[in-house]
Amino acid sequence: MKSTTIHYIPSVYVYDVVPSVMALSFARGDDDSLTPSQYKVTCGYVKRSKKTTVSVADQPIGFENDTYQIYYRYLIGSTWSQWWTYTGGISVKSDTTCSAYEFCISKLVSHDNVNDSTIIARKTIPVSKDGQSAVQVSLSPSAILHKKQSDDAYYVVDVSVKRGKKKNTSFGMYDFSLPLGVDEYTILQPSDSNGNKNQVQFKVSANNVPTGEITFKVSLDGVDYEQSIPIKTVADGIQGIQGLQGPSVRGPQIWQDVAEGYKFFAGNSANGDKYKDTVYDSSDKNYYSCITTHTKSASSLAPSNDSTNWKVDEKIEIVATSLLLAKKAIIKNLIAEGIQMYDKDGNNIVFDAQDGSLTCKTGTFDSIKVQNSELTNINLEGSMRSAFQEAKNSLEGVNCDNYIAETTSGWALFGATLTGTPNDIGRTIKIFAKNGGNLDITLSNCTVYTEVGKAITGHFYLLGRTYVELLGMGLNGTFDHWQVMRRGVFGSLGKCHGMPIGVLAYGVVEVTYSSSKWSINIDYESYDGLTLSVTRLGIGYYCITMPSSWKFNSNGIHVIATPYLPEYDTNGNRALARSANVMVTNIDLVDNKIYFSCADDDSRNDQSFFFEIKSRSELFWYHLETEKQS
């Protein structure tokens, strides 16, 4: 309530700690270092009362006549450090092990004695750091096939050691484990001739027959990483007997689609089977391999785990070529680098998935969810909606840090921050407060404008059982503010809500008489915080002056006034038995003045009274819109 009063009413103040940031995050670069190297954090406070709000961006030492002090501490592992006196900006370095900082306002005591009983406000800032990049060790080729010979043989293997995206130019601490038959190894230094690769040369002496694995082990930051490649010897021998031609794999066919009388082969070359049949059972979603040659009939049992004709195959390896031609294929899990689909004539590509990008030129998508996408040239048939969301879970445009407990009275801190980004320009969000609880939502880097054009900063309020629809405003990629498009009651407990009308100001004019002197005071609230004043023009005759910036059209305003005890006669005597009537005698919309007269008979009396000033313009436009809609 704003007041130009002669009475002094002490205020009760509430303090909030306001750090310069709400969280700190260090990112891991390609060279494995954390960036930035440090953050500087400052801390201020906000002082609030019923009538005033004072914000101080940075307050390093005692304030409010040395009554309060800001302190801080940090969290290492699961233990908080001792509280320290805050004397200015704090540098949080990337090489520290702290995971959180906490600021508080406390009664002025030594920082050694700060405790919960002396803390009146606090704020915690989490500190997060990216983990160290993974180490990848690879050897090429993936295997060595050695042919026994009478001369020494040498094999060169490329060795790659990477941490994240950064390739190590040297091995550091390394070791090789060689199988029997591999005599020695030599490190070849990177050069232009080998493409600056790390290479190792292995020697197999004449007539050796090595078989086993070559294991490379490298130690980085005290951790061992290993990678192995097999080496196998192929010795000359006697030409073997020509074997039988193996059967061809046929299928998988869908078991339910195969007609009776169809012969399945088990792939037994000794019995002359030309095929090895595989099927897919659509009833149990399993693949089966034929193990007994048989003909499908009405009495044939479907494939199963205990069938004498079939066995379950989890993986059926059929072909691994650059091109696979098939009339019909059922693939449970498809992993592919590219997929193309042509139209029915086989001339035009209508579905193309290549290089991580998807293009679809025709088709119908049903029951899909689209997120974080940009839509162009959309022809909408039917309707679209933006659902109301209860203000207790994560919302579009709202970053929720905590879960709100529903309340039935008072104001509940939402534990959320309403933000605005360029992606929110044109976005509509609808929020409602459930039950009887009221919500206090913190605003971050944005401003919400109410229906009457008043700029709201710091906090946005929503009454219980009401909803609000917000529209993100901005131009040229710059978010400006959230605009309140409408408010309303969600699930009314009554039968009607009435019509909208704008209250410009309300309050009380209090008249007192003391020591042969009349005093008059106005205590009020105005919708935009501007100043109103009152003047006593004579006995029971008063004038309220509204702000000059308030401009009214021909519809003007609507004023209500009601008596408020006590009443005084012309001699200043308090008359508790009577109550004068209060009348609005004139409204001057040129000078923005409203005149009041108080009387309980033919003569005027001084009288305190309540007043309410409403804008009829809001009501006028409401009726105009209603007429258009009807």
Side-chain angles (χ1 to χ4, degrees):
M1 301 283 285
K2 286 206 170 182
S3 177
T4 55
T5 179
I6 63 173
H7 300 295
Y8 173 75
I9 301 176
S11 298
V12 176
Y13 294 104
V14 177
Y15 291 89
D16 283 340
V17 184
V18 185
S20 57
V21 294
M22 296 306 296
L24 298 177
S25 177
F26 293 92
R28 183 77 63 174
D30 288 345
D31 60 353
D32 237 36
S33 63
L34 291 169
T35 59
S37 60
Q38 67 179 28
Y39 284 96
K40 184 173 182 180
V41 182
T42 60
C43 187
Y45 68 94
V46 174
K47 171 185 175 184
R48 294 187 180 88
S49 70
K50 185 178 180 182
K51 299 181 180 181
T52 62
T53 298
V54 178
S55 297
V56 180
D58 188 20
Q59 186 69 16
I61 58 175
F63 56 95
E64 294 292 324
N65 297 322
D66 292 333
T67 304
Y68 302 102
Q69 172 72 44
I70 295 181
Y71 300 92
Y72 75 95
R73 63 178 180 174
Y74 49 87
L75 180 65
I76 296 180
S78 60
T79 305
W80 285 99
S81 67
Q82 171 67 44
W83 287 102
W84 296 91
T85 303
Y86 175 73
T87 59
I90 296 174
S91 295
V92 181
K93 299 182 179 180
S94 62
D95 58 357
T96 58
T97 59
C98 66
S99 58
Y101 270 78
E102 185 177 28
F103 290 89
C104 77
I105 293 179
S106 174
K107 298 176 182 178
L108 185 60
V109 294
S110 170
H111 66 80
D112 293 327
N113 299 322
V114 174
N115 53 57
D116 290 342
S117 64
T118 64
I119 294 176
I120 62 174
R122 65 204 310 164
K123 192 79 69 177
T124 301
I125 303 173
V127 180
S128 62
K129 303 175 184 179
D130 284 354
Q132 197 171 51
S133 301
V135 174
Q136 178 182 357
V137 179
S138 59
L139 306 178
S140 179
S142 58
I144 297 176
L145 188 64
H146 171 69
K147 184 177 182 180
K148 181 181 178 182
Q149 59 189 43
S150 57
D151 298 323
D152 294 343
Y154 296 88
Y155 300 96
V156 176
V157 175
D158 294 339
V159 181
S160 174
V161 180
K162 292 183 178 180
R163 185 189 294 278
K165 296 181 179 179
K166 183 179 180 182
K167 182 177 181 180
N168 288 44
T169 57
S170 62
F171 296 153
M173 298 297 295
Y174 66 91
D175 188 20
F176 285 94
S177 297
L178 304 180
L180 187 64
V182 180
D183 299 312
E184 61 184 44
Y185 67 87
T186 303
I187 301 295
L188 304 180
Q189 298 299 322
S191 64
D192 294 336
S193 61
N194 66 3
N196 288 315
K197 298 179 180 178
N198 289 315
Q199 294 181 324
V200 182
Q201 179 177 276
F202 298 94
K203 177 185 176 181
V204 179
S205 297
N207 298 316
N208 275 359
V209 185
T211 299
E213 289 187 338
I214 300 174
T215 301
F216 169 70
K217 181 173 71 174
V218 62
S219 297
L220 295 177
D221 300 329
V223 180
D224 294 338
Y225 302 90
E226 291 187 357
Q227 187 65 269
S228 301
I229 58 173
I231 181 170
K232 185 176 182 181
T233 300
V234 179
D236 292 334
I238 301 175
Q239 177 69 37
I241 300 174
Q242 177 68 39
L244 298 175
Q245 181 178 351
S248 301
V249 177
R250 185 169 62 175
Q253 303 178 79
I254 300 178
W255 167 262
Q256 285 77 7
D257 291 347
V258 178
E260 294 179 9
Y262 187 88
K263 189 173 183 178
F264 292 107
F265 294 94
N268 190 335
S269 300
N271 295 335
D273 291 349
K274 295 182 178 180
Y275 303 106
K276 173 69 172 179
D277 278 306
T278 59
V279 297
Y280 173 77
D281 189 348
S282 59
S283 62
D284 64 3
K285 306 296 189 298
N286 282 328
Y287 293 89
Y288 294 89
S289 175
C290 182
I291 57 176
T292 302
T293 300
H294 67 285
T295 300
K296 183 177 181 180
S297 65
S299 60
S300 297
L301 297 177
S304 65
N305 289 328
D306 55 358
S307 172
T308 59
N309 294 330
W310 302 96
K311 72 172 183 177
V312 176
D313 270 352
E314 290 296 332
K315 294 183 179 179
I316 301 176
E317 297 183 8
I318 300 177
V319 65
T321 62
S322 298
L323 179 65
L324 171 64
L325 299 177
K327 183 177 180 180
K328 189 174 185 180
I330 298 176
I331 303 174
K332 186 175 182 180
N333 292 300
L334 175 64
I335 300 176
E337 293 183 357
I339 300 176
Q340 289 183 331
M341 185 176 72
Y342 289 81
D343 59 16
K344 63 179 181 178
D345 299 324
N347 298 323
N348 301 307
I349 297 175
V350 295
F351 185 92
D352 188 10
Q354 301 286 341
D355 302 324
S357 177
L358 172 64
T359 301
C360 182
K361 296 184 178 181
T362 185
T364 300
F365 295 88
D366 191 9
S367 299
I368 65 171
K369 184 176 182 179
V370 180
Q371 290 181 304
N372 303 324
S373 301
E374 181 177 323
L375 306 179
T376 305
N377 298 328
I378 302 300
N379 181 21
L380 178 67
E381 294 184 6
S383 63
M384 63 182 297
R385 69 187 183 96
S386 173
F388 282 97
Q389 302 176 70
E390 183 182 344
K392 60 186 289 185
N393 298 319
S394 217
L395 308 173
E396 283 187 291
V398 179
N399 297 324
C400 297
D401 299 323
N402 300 309
Y403 186 87
I404 180 174
E406 297 175 7
T407 61
T408 57
S409 63
W411 288 96
L413 182 62
F414 186 22
T417 302
L418 179 59
T419 62
T421 68
N423 289 333
D424 295 318
I425 298 175
R427 186 190 305 278
T428 298
I429 61 175
K430 301 174 182 178
I431 311 171
F432 76 90
K434 190 177 181 181
N435 294 335
N438 305 319
L439 299 181
D440 178 355
I441 304 175
T442 303
L443 300 179
S444 175
N445 78 309
C446 64
T447 302
V448 173
Y449 284 87
T450 66
E451 300 88 333
V452 293
K454 181 180 178 182
I456 303 296
T457 58
H459 291 267
F460 176 59
Y461 302 99
L462 187 62
L463 295 174
R465 300 190 64 80
T466 67
Y467 69 85
V468 62
E469 181 177 327
L470 306 175
L471 176 63
M473 307 293 287
L475 290 173
N476 301 323
T478 301
F479 183 87
D480 186 73
H481 67 275
W482 288 102
Q483 178 72 40
V484 175
M485 303 305 294
R486 60 181 57 86
R487 290 180 185 265
V489 177
F490 196 95
S492 171
L493 295 176
K495 296 183 178 180
C496 59
H497 305 300
M499 63 183 65
I501 186 168
V503 177
L504 302 177
Y506 65 91
V508 60
V509 172
E510 187 174 3
V511 182
T512 58
Y513 184 84
S514 178
S515 302
S516 302
K517 183 179 180 180
W518 289 99
S519 298
I520 186 169
N521 171 64
I522 182 171
D523 196 8
Y524 65 93
E525 282 279 2
S526 63
Y527 85 96
D528 55 1
L530 296 184
T531 302
L532 281 73
S533 62
V534 64
T535 305
R536 181 177 181 269
L537 303 178
I539 298 174
Y541 193 34
Y542 317 101
C543 173
I544 292 180
T545 302
M546 298 177 292
S548 61
S549 59
W550 288 5
K551 304 297 182 183
F552 304 99
N553 58 22
S554 57
N555 294 282
I557 59 176
H558 181 70
V559 182
I560 298 175
T562 57
Y564 166 61
L565 291 177
E567 173 196 356
Y568 295 86
D569 60 20
T570 56
N571 297 319
N573 296 316
R574 185 168 178 173
L576 295 178
R578 302 193 309 269
S579 179
N581 295 320
V582 183
M583 297 177 291
V584 179
T585 59
N586 184 34
I587 301 177
D588 184 353
L589 296 183
V590 176
D591 294 331
N592 282 13
K593 295 181 181 296
I594 306 173
Y595 296 90
F596 300 85
S597 177
C598 302
D600 60 348
D601 48 29
D602 293 338
S603 61
R604 289 198 303 266
N605 302 88
D606 283 292
Q607 169 72 54
S608 301
F609 60 90
F610 296 103
F611 69 91
E612 188 176 84
I613 305 172
K614 300 180 180 180
S615 172
R616 296 188 62 204
S617 301
E618 297 292 329
L619 187 59
F620 169 77
W621 286 110
Y622 171 76
H623 283 304
L624 184 60
E625 290 295 328
T626 303
E627 292 172 3
K628 288 181 179 180
Q629 294 174 8
S630 61

